[in-house]
Amino acid sequence: MYLQADEKAIKKELLDIIENSRRKVTPGELEKALSGKCFLEKKEIRSLIRGLVTENFLAYTCHYGRTFIEKSFNKPVRISKHVILKPPGFYYKSKADDVVIEMWEGVSFGNGRHPTTRLAIRGIEYALNEINLLKAKDKTSVLDIGTGSGVLGITALLLGIKNAVGVDIDPCSIKEARDNAKINKLEDKFVVKNMSLEDLNTKFTLITANLRYPTLMNIYQKVVEITEKKGAVILSGIKQDEVSALIDLYTGKYFECKWQKCEKDWAGLVFLKCQKTDLII
């Protein structure tokens, strides 16, 4: 049996394995990885895993008929320097500069579990706080393309953007984004539409798109058209080996890449529309 004094260190090792893995980990893989490091019996490892699940540090998830162990988001979780995601009903004692976002656990993509969502949120925070996107702008707006749960539009609003539009073609996503806007008291500022990106002609201060690489490449010209001068674009949903081609396209004429971060083989990018651009639409 392991000593009680070792339990904290072993639990930390368990959490580190999950946190640092570049792919989803099954319970069997987690048991094998830990037994090789700590020389514990399987029943002892399973007991530790169950304890971490009970304490809401880990959660069992099912994907395509397989069971995995992942970090739990069924509690308040800090995503970035200022942004906290939490399910409704959970108490969180926030600091003065925290932005606490309540999110229902629905079927739509974007509840914070996936690295691409976390990268996009950090990118929004960088754009608004570090490159000071809101400076000298009275009317600001964000467009969230493929809004899903609505978390990116909500994040931008709570960090200072005045108005938001989310577009999606999935009825479940549209309902969940509207519900999440409502529980964050933003229903008057966040309009969620069932429409195609091509039907939009308004310009936006900030555009967010957590989508896969082919889509991000295909929407480039439209993004150029609807991004304000000195506006920013946050892209996520990109694998690390896709980053260079995407940067080459977006920085070829109209944008400067200001921020690039990676997590578990995924990447997030922040582009700023160049001041010298005089695009005629």
Side-chain angles (χ1 to χ4, degrees):
M1 289 287 292
Y2 56 87
L3 298 174
Q4 188 68 30
D6 296 329
E7 183 173 336
K8 186 175 181 180
I10 296 170
K11 284 185 174 181
K12 183 180 184 304
E13 187 69 40
L14 266 169
L15 294 172
D16 285 345
I17 291 171
I18 296 295
E19 190 72 29
N20 296 322
S21 175
R22 297 194 172 211
R23 59 181 181 81
K24 296 181 186 295
V25 178
T26 67
E29 289 170 337
L30 186 57
E31 290 173 16
K32 185 177 180 180
L34 194 64
S35 62
K37 291 186 175 185
C38 302
F39 305 102
L40 298 178
E41 294 182 8
K42 285 187 176 181
K43 63 180 181 180
E44 294 173 326
I45 298 173
R46 289 170 185 165
S47 176
L48 286 169
I49 293 172
R50 286 195 297 269
L52 288 169
V53 170
T54 301
E55 295 168 20
N56 253 339
F57 287 101
L58 296 177
Y60 293 105
T61 60
C62 183
H63 298 272
Y64 303 108
R66 296 187 70 193
T67 299
F68 297 92
I69 297 283
E70 299 185 72
K71 182 177 179 179
S72 175
F73 280 79
N74 190 32
K75 62 175 183 177
V77 177
R78 182 172 294 279
I79 303 297
S80 64
K81 183 178 179 181
H82 298 292
V83 177
I84 311 295
L85 293 187
K86 79 176 191 68
F90 280 74
Y91 173 75
Y92 176 76
K93 186 177 181 180
S94 59
K95 299 176 183 177
D97 58 353
D98 279 345
V99 171
V100 181
I101 301 172
E102 294 197 338
M103 298 293 297
W104 290 109
E105 177 70 29
V107 298
S108 297
F109 188 84
N111 62 9
R113 292 184 185 275
H114 200 275
T116 59
T117 305
R118 301 193 290 272
L119 287 163
I121 288 172
R122 292 165 195 158
I124 293 170
E125 186 173 291
Y126 176 86
L128 298 183
N129 293 340
E130 300 300 324
I131 62 177
N132 208 1
L133 189 65
L134 304 180
K135 185 178 180 181
K137 292 184 180 181
D138 295 326
K139 295 181 179 180
T140 56
S141 58
V142 59
L143 170 66
D144 185 20
I145 305 171
T147 195
S149 68
V151 64
L152 302 186
I154 291 168
T155 297
L157 286 170
L158 292 178
L159 286 173
I161 289 283
K162 299 299 183 185
N163 293 286
V165 174
V167 294
D168 211 304
I169 58 173
D170 177 60
C172 289
S173 294
I174 291 167
K175 181 182 185 306
E176 289 181 13
R178 288 172 177 167
D179 289 345
N180 284 322
K182 188 173 183 178
I183 63 172
N184 287 282
K185 299 180 174 58
L186 295 171
E187 62 268 37
D188 294 334
K189 293 185 175 183
F190 193 3
V191 178
V192 183
K193 298 181 178 182
N194 181 354
M195 67 184 301
S196 166
L197 177 63
E198 292 303 317
D199 295 329
L200 278 172
N201 294 309
T202 308
K203 289 184 181 290
F204 295 89
T205 314
L206 177 67
I207 293 178
T208 62
N210 184 9
L211 304 167
R212 287 296 290 120
Y213 169 78
T215 303
L216 295 176
M217 296 290 278
N218 289 336
I219 66 174
Y220 162 72
Q221 189 57 51
K222 186 64 178 181
V223 168
V224 170
E225 294 175 7
I226 61 176
T227 306
E228 293 178 357
K229 290 182 180 180
K230 301 183 185 179
V233 176
I234 316 295
L235 302 183
S236 190
I238 318 150
K239 288 288 190 178
Q240 288 190 43
D241 60 2
E242 299 165 340
V243 167
S244 60
L246 201 63
I247 289 177
D248 286 347
L249 175 63
Y250 276 75
T251 59
K253 191 172 182 181
Y254 298 110
F255 294 98
E256 178 185 358
C257 186
K258 303 292 290 185
W259 180 91
Q260 176 182 339
K261 296 291 180 182
C262 297
E263 182 182 342
K264 293 189 176 183
D265 281 342
W266 295 95
L269 302 169
V270 175
F271 294 98
L272 185 67
K273 197 167 186 183
C274 300
Q275 184 174 352
K276 62 184 180 181
T277 301
D278 289 313
L279 180 63
I280 300 174
I281 305 301

